[in-house]
Amino acid sequence: METKTQTGTPGFKLNYKRTIIIGFAFFGILLLWQVYDSWCPTFLTELFKEAFSITSEEEVQYLVGIVMAFDNLAALILLPIFGALSDKTKSPIGKRMPYILVGTLICAIAFPFVPLFVHYNNVAGTIIMMAIVVIFAMMYRNPAVALMPDLTPKPLRSKANGIINIMGYIGGAFATVVGIFFAVSRYFKETEGHESDYQNIWTIEIPFIVASVLMVISALVLFFTIKENKLKDELADELKRGEEESELVEKVDDDKPLSKANKAMLILILAAEFFWFMADNGIGTFMTNYTMYYFEADSSASMINVIVGGVGSVIGFAVGGLIASKIGRKWTVVSGLGVTVLSYVVWAILSATLLGFQPGSGTFPVFLYIIWFVKGFGMSLVHVNSYPMVVELCNTKKIGKYTGYYYASSMAAQTITPIALGSILLIPQFDFGVLPFYALICCGISLAIFLFIKNIKSGKVGFKKGLEAMDQD
């Protein structure tokens, strides 16, 4: 028997098969960024040390942060532009698909040239290729993400976003596994049992080639299975009904400016998002360096840590939509931020007391795996519900534009946070041990901001349950 929504209309059901296929776009995105974020900061560290004849890693981290921030600055500008352009695009293959295909192809061609320039110690070439990758990744990232809400009614977007993120994390996990076998530290330092990896170009080249090939495959799977224009016509009635079942107290009318309550809600979400990305991207950018230079451990330990965090994230993505259907998206996000803050508190205490932390010991603290698992779970509850809350504030005509707002906030944080954290590491009293305290402060601010969000209905939206929800058309 069908469940009913709060208005008494038939409940919505999620097409899991279609959502998983749409998720292949996010698979390619996370695959690319996991390789990019795990390898490029170390590439830049070693290139700058060589270029300026510097032996201390901390002294060049501000330069690493600036280069990584320039990439994010380009994204801050380009993501809203490509989102708005795709909203207005009309083509035989849809409004999002042209950007996805062109962006993926050029990214896939350019990506393997990054380690090639590193191998030949070419700083300018490395940075230029990184910039090309970022620019065209931004071309397809916004449209690829916007494709899910394009084809999903508002009440189902948290559940659908959970599936999309799981697909993304599978891509990220794949890249991380490759990183265990082709650890970047082995290319720059001779290690016992891996002498053949030292200065061997394939040690750093293979992960980038694998990422490029899988990105192209994922885009082709999406293109040949999702007929964007046809699906939009078939789903028109359901999408319209979804607009009526919004969580918002005040309905959105795209012919009028946002109401004061909805505008306040948007600003608060984006402000909170800014600070949780300040935390997450800040430590993510420097985590491989934290492992290599603070503990002097093999960088593969950092890759294993990412996998453990990914497992926690996948669990959170799987249950995040279900939790939101019980307590609402706002309180699910608050719960996720609370869990994440708690994990940072434990990390900070253990780091401050040096319990299990022996800088320079050559070993990676095992309990960091537990912290990363908990953090991954908490942040997945945040991500799976925050983006649907933003696109809840528009109708299907402006999803790309509002997706641009969401990513503009995250990219603004990712532009600032590498420079901020890199600059802190220049202070003589600080070293990589400052990472947990930095993350704790930023995430704590984010949680405080999110608590002020209002304009959310107290009632819950009805869904089909069990086998009724497994629409396989």
Side-chain angles (χ1 to χ4, degrees):
M1 182 176 178
E2 284 191 349
T3 58
K4 302 289 183 179
T5 67
Q6 58 195 15
T7 59
T9 56
F12 296 91
K13 56 183 179 180
L14 182 64
N15 186 315
Y16 285 87
K17 178 181 177 181
R18 183 173 64 236
T19 306
I20 289 171
I21 294 172
I22 293 173
F24 272 97
F26 209 50
F27 173 93
I29 291 171
L30 264 290
L31 176 65
L32 170 76
W33 289 119
Q34 186 58 55
V35 173
Y36 185 92
D37 285 339
S38 295
W39 273 263
C40 287
T42 304
F43 287 168
L44 295 170
T45 297
E46 295 297 331
L47 287 173
F48 286 139
K49 283 170 61 182
E50 178 71 20
F52 297 107
S53 301
I54 295 173
T55 57
S56 171
E57 291 80 17
E58 281 85 358
E59 288 184 37
V60 299
Q61 292 310 304
Y62 79 99
L63 291 173
V64 175
I66 289 172
V67 174
M68 299 298 284
F70 275 140
D71 295 339
N72 292 318
L73 179 60
L76 173 63
I77 297 169
L78 294 174
L79 278 170
I81 291 175
F82 285 122
L85 283 175
S86 65
D87 279 339
K88 299 174 182 177
T89 297
K90 294 180 180 180
S91 81
I93 59 174
K95 61 183 181 180
R96 314 293 184 193
M97 205 65 71
Y99 298 90
I100 295 171
L101 295 178
V102 173
T104 299
L105 178 62
I106 296 179
C107 264
I109 293 171
F111 205 39
F113 283 92
V114 174
L116 182 64
F117 280 110
V118 171
H119 181 70
Y120 289 103
N121 204 36
N122 189 322
V123 178
T126 300
I127 293 174
I128 289 170
M129 295 314 298
M130 287 171 62
I132 291 172
V133 169
V134 168
I135 289 170
F136 286 94
M138 294 311 109
M139 173 181 278
Y140 79 79
R141 180 166 187 164
N142 186 315
V145 173
L147 192 59
M148 180 277 287
D150 275 346
L151 303 175
T152 307
K154 284 185 175 180
L156 295 177
R157 287 176 184 170
S158 286
K159 287 187 175 182
N161 202 33
I163 294 171
I164 297 297
N165 277 277
I166 288 174
M167 290 296 294
Y169 269 72
I170 291 172
F174 191 93
T176 305
V177 170
V178 172
I180 293 173
F181 293 99
F182 297 92
V184 65
S185 59
R186 297 172 193 162
Y187 175 83
F188 292 107
K189 297 179 181 179
E190 288 190 81
T191 56
E192 186 176 349
H194 297 283
E195 291 84 357
S196 62
D197 291 338
Y198 179 65
Q199 296 295 311
N200 181 345
I201 187 172
W202 296 109
T203 302
I204 55 175
E205 188 66 70
I206 287 177
F208 285 74
I209 293 174
V210 170
S212 290
V213 170
L214 290 178
M215 283 167 58
V216 171
I217 292 173
S218 65
L220 291 176
V221 168
L222 182 69
F223 174 69
F224 285 112
T225 53
I226 299 296
K227 305 302 179 184
E228 190 180 339
N229 289 337
K230 180 181 177 182
L231 282 171
K232 284 295 291 292
D233 291 338
E234 292 175 355
L235 295 168
D237 291 341
E238 190 172 2
L239 291 170
K240 182 178 179 180
R241 188 161 60 90
E243 295 290 327
E244 299 169 357
E245 296 297 333
S246 167
E247 277 193 352
L248 301 176
V249 174
E250 296 188 20
K251 298 297 183 183
V252 173
D253 184 347
D254 273 357
D255 294 326
K256 299 178 181 178
L258 277 181
S259 69
K260 184 177 179 180
N262 284 342
K263 187 179 292 185
M265 178 178 171
L266 177 63
I267 292 171
L268 288 172
I269 293 173
L270 297 180
E273 179 199 1
F274 175 85
F275 282 102
W276 75 60
F277 271 101
M278 284 284 287
D280 214 32
N281 187 255
I283 58 175
T285 297
F286 291 99
M287 199 61 194
T288 301
N289 288 357
Y290 178 68
T291 302
M292 286 179 57
Y293 304 126
Y294 189 64
F295 293 114
E296 297 183 12
D298 193 306
S299 63
S300 62
S302 179
M303 300 299 174
I304 295 172
N305 202 36
V306 171
I307 291 176
V308 173
V311 172
S313 296
V314 167
I315 294 173
F317 291 139
V319 302
L322 179 62
I323 295 173
S325 69
K326 303 296 183 183
I327 66 174
R329 288 173 181 152
K330 172 188 173 179
W331 294 110
T332 306
V333 172
V334 168
S335 300
L337 288 172
V339 168
T340 304
V341 166
L342 180 61
S343 70
Y344 290 148
V345 168
V346 173
W347 185 17
I349 291 173
L350 293 175
S351 180
T353 57
L354 296 180
L355 294 176
F357 279 81
Q358 290 82 36
S361 66
T363 59
F364 188 81
V366 176
F367 59 75
L368 268 180
Y369 295 135
I370 300 173
I371 290 172
W372 240 246
F373 177 87
V374 175
K375 179 186 80 72
F377 177 79
M379 287 309 301
S380 66
L381 297 184
V382 174
H383 293 311
V384 80
N385 289 290
S386 57
Y387 172 62
M389 288 180 74
V390 170
V391 291
E392 191 93 352
L393 293 163
C394 69
N395 68 16
T396 55
K397 296 178 181 178
K398 294 185 178 180
I399 286 175
K401 181 178 181 179
Y402 277 68
T403 300
Y405 291 156
Y406 183 82
Y407 281 108
S409 176
S410 69
M411 287 301 169
Q414 292 175 71
T415 300
I416 295 171
T417 198
I419 299 175
L421 193 45
S423 298
I424 290 172
L425 291 171
L426 277 175
I427 301 173
Q429 292 85 354
F430 294 117
D431 55 23
F432 282 108
V434 76
L435 262 65
F437 301 95
Y438 179 87
L440 174 58
I441 292 170
C442 292
C443 200
I445 294 172
S446 177
L447 174 58
I449 292 172
F450 212 88
L451 287 170
F452 285 96
I453 290 176
K454 299 178 181 179
N455 194 36
I456 304 293
K457 290 178 182 176
S458 58
K460 307 299 181 290
V461 176
F463 299 99
K464 288 190 174 183
K465 298 180 180 179
L467 294 177
E468 291 180 357
M470 299 294 288
D471 178 16
Q472 299 295 328
D473 294 341

